[in-house]
Short mmCIF file of all heavy atoms in Angstrom, two decimals:
data_model
loop_
_atom_site.label_atom_id
_atom_site.label_comp_id
_atom_site.label_asym_id
_atom_site.label_seq_id
_atom_site.Cartn_x
_atom_site.Cartn_y
_atom_site.Cartn_z
N ALA A 589 28.91 -83.52 155.15
CA ALA A 589 27.57 -83.55 154.55
C ALA A 589 26.59 -84.18 155.53
O ALA A 589 26.86 -85.23 156.12
CB ALA A 589 27.61 -84.33 153.24
N GLY A 590 25.45 -83.53 155.71
CA GLY A 590 24.44 -84.03 156.62
C GLY A 590 24.74 -83.78 158.08
O GLY A 590 24.00 -84.24 158.96
N SER A 591 25.83 -83.07 158.36
CA SER A 591 26.21 -82.79 159.74
C SER A 591 25.53 -81.52 160.23
O SER A 591 25.23 -80.62 159.46
CB SER A 591 27.73 -82.65 159.85
OG SER A 591 28.08 -82.20 161.14
N LEU A 592 25.30 -81.48 161.53
CA LEU A 592 24.76 -80.27 162.15
C LEU A 592 25.77 -79.14 162.13
O LEU A 592 25.42 -77.97 162.11
CB LEU A 592 24.37 -80.59 163.61
CG LEU A 592 23.94 -79.44 164.49
CD1 LEU A 592 22.59 -78.89 164.06
CD2 LEU A 592 23.87 -79.89 165.95
N VAL A 593 27.05 -79.50 162.05
CA VAL A 593 28.13 -78.53 162.19
C VAL A 593 28.44 -77.89 160.84
O VAL A 593 28.57 -78.58 159.82
CB VAL A 593 29.39 -79.20 162.76
CG1 VAL A 593 30.55 -78.22 162.81
CG2 VAL A 593 29.10 -79.74 164.15
N GLN A 594 28.57 -76.56 160.84
CA GLN A 594 28.99 -75.85 159.63
C GLN A 594 30.50 -75.85 159.49
O GLN A 594 31.05 -76.13 158.43
CB GLN A 594 28.48 -74.41 159.69
CG GLN A 594 28.89 -73.54 158.50
CD GLN A 594 28.66 -72.07 158.79
OE1 GLN A 594 29.42 -71.45 159.51
NE2 GLN A 594 27.60 -71.53 158.21
N SER A 595 31.21 -75.51 160.58
CA SER A 595 32.67 -75.51 160.57
C SER A 595 33.16 -75.62 162.00
O SER A 595 32.44 -75.31 162.96
CB SER A 595 33.22 -74.23 159.92
OG SER A 595 32.81 -73.08 160.66
N THR A 596 34.40 -76.07 162.15
CA THR A 596 35.02 -76.30 163.46
C THR A 596 36.42 -75.75 163.46
O THR A 596 37.15 -75.84 162.47
CB THR A 596 35.04 -77.80 163.80
OG1 THR A 596 33.71 -78.31 163.85
CG2 THR A 596 35.73 -78.06 165.14
N LEU A 597 36.81 -75.16 164.59
CA LEU A 597 38.20 -74.75 164.82
C LEU A 597 38.80 -75.70 165.85
O LEU A 597 38.32 -75.80 166.99
CB LEU A 597 38.26 -73.31 165.34
CG LEU A 597 37.84 -72.20 164.38
CD1 LEU A 597 37.94 -70.84 165.07
CD2 LEU A 597 38.70 -72.21 163.13
N ALA A 598 39.83 -76.45 165.46
CA ALA A 598 40.57 -77.32 166.37
C ALA A 598 41.76 -76.53 166.89
O ALA A 598 42.70 -76.24 166.15
CB ALA A 598 41.02 -78.59 165.66
N VAL A 599 41.70 -76.17 168.15
CA VAL A 599 42.68 -75.24 168.73
C VAL A 599 43.51 -75.98 169.78
O VAL A 599 42.96 -76.48 170.77
CB VAL A 599 41.98 -74.04 169.38
CG1 VAL A 599 43.01 -73.00 169.84
CG2 VAL A 599 40.99 -73.41 168.40
N PRO A 600 44.83 -76.10 169.58
CA PRO A 600 45.67 -76.74 170.60
C PRO A 600 45.76 -75.87 171.85
O PRO A 600 45.80 -74.65 171.76
CB PRO A 600 47.03 -76.87 169.92
CG PRO A 600 47.03 -75.79 168.88
CD PRO A 600 45.60 -75.64 168.42
N MET A 601 45.76 -76.51 172.99
CA MET A 601 45.90 -75.80 174.27
C MET A 601 47.37 -75.85 174.66
O MET A 601 47.90 -76.92 174.98
CB MET A 601 45.01 -76.45 175.34
CG MET A 601 43.55 -76.54 174.93
SD MET A 601 42.49 -77.26 176.19
CE MET A 601 42.42 -75.91 177.35
N VAL A 602 48.02 -74.69 174.62
CA VAL A 602 49.46 -74.60 174.81
C VAL A 602 49.75 -73.84 176.09
O VAL A 602 49.26 -72.72 176.28
CB VAL A 602 50.14 -73.90 173.61
CG1 VAL A 602 51.65 -73.87 173.80
CG2 VAL A 602 49.78 -74.61 172.31
N ALA A 603 50.54 -74.44 176.96
CA ALA A 603 50.98 -73.79 178.20
C ALA A 603 52.47 -74.04 178.36
O ALA A 603 52.91 -75.20 178.37
CB ALA A 603 50.21 -74.33 179.40
N HIS A 604 53.22 -72.96 178.46
CA HIS A 604 54.68 -73.06 178.64
C HIS A 604 55.31 -73.91 177.54
O HIS A 604 56.09 -74.84 177.80
CB HIS A 604 55.02 -73.63 180.02
CG HIS A 604 54.33 -72.94 181.16
ND1 HIS A 604 54.53 -71.61 181.45
CD2 HIS A 604 53.40 -73.38 182.05
CE1 HIS A 604 53.79 -71.27 182.49
NE2 HIS A 604 53.09 -72.33 182.86
N ASP A 605 54.94 -73.60 176.29
CA ASP A 605 55.49 -74.26 175.11
C ASP A 605 55.16 -75.75 175.07
O ASP A 605 55.84 -76.52 174.38
CB ASP A 605 57.02 -74.08 175.02
CG ASP A 605 57.39 -72.63 174.78
OD1 ASP A 605 56.53 -71.90 174.25
OD2 ASP A 605 58.52 -72.24 175.12
N THR A 606 54.13 -76.16 175.78
CA THR A 606 53.74 -77.56 175.79
C THR A 606 52.26 -77.66 175.46
O THR A 606 51.44 -76.98 176.05
CB THR A 606 54.02 -78.21 177.16
OG1 THR A 606 55.41 -78.12 177.44
CG2 THR A 606 53.60 -79.67 177.15
N VAL A 607 51.94 -78.53 174.49
CA VAL A 607 50.54 -78.78 174.15
C VAL A 607 49.98 -79.77 175.17
O VAL A 607 50.49 -80.88 175.31
CB VAL A 607 50.41 -79.34 172.73
CG1 VAL A 607 48.94 -79.62 172.41
CG2 VAL A 607 51.00 -78.38 171.71
N ILE A 608 48.94 -79.35 175.87
CA ILE A 608 48.37 -80.20 176.93
C ILE A 608 47.02 -80.78 176.52
O ILE A 608 46.48 -81.64 177.24
CB ILE A 608 48.21 -79.41 178.24
CG1 ILE A 608 47.21 -78.27 178.07
CG2 ILE A 608 49.56 -78.90 178.72
CD1 ILE A 608 46.90 -77.55 179.37
N GLY A 609 46.47 -80.32 175.40
CA GLY A 609 45.18 -80.85 174.98
C GLY A 609 44.65 -80.10 173.78
O GLY A 609 45.36 -79.30 173.14
N LEU A 610 43.38 -80.34 173.46
CA LEU A 610 42.75 -79.75 172.28
C LEU A 610 41.35 -79.31 172.65
O LEU A 610 40.62 -80.04 173.33
CB LEU A 610 42.69 -80.78 171.15
CG LEU A 610 42.16 -80.27 169.80
CD1 LEU A 610 43.23 -79.41 169.11
CD2 LEU A 610 41.77 -81.43 168.90
#
Side-chain angles (χ1 to χ4, degrees):
S591 172
L592 173 70
V593 175
Q594 179 195 76
S595 61
T596 299
L597 293 179
V599 187
M601 305 182 74
V602 182
H604 309 297
D605 293 337
T606 300
V607 179
I608 64 174
L610 185 75

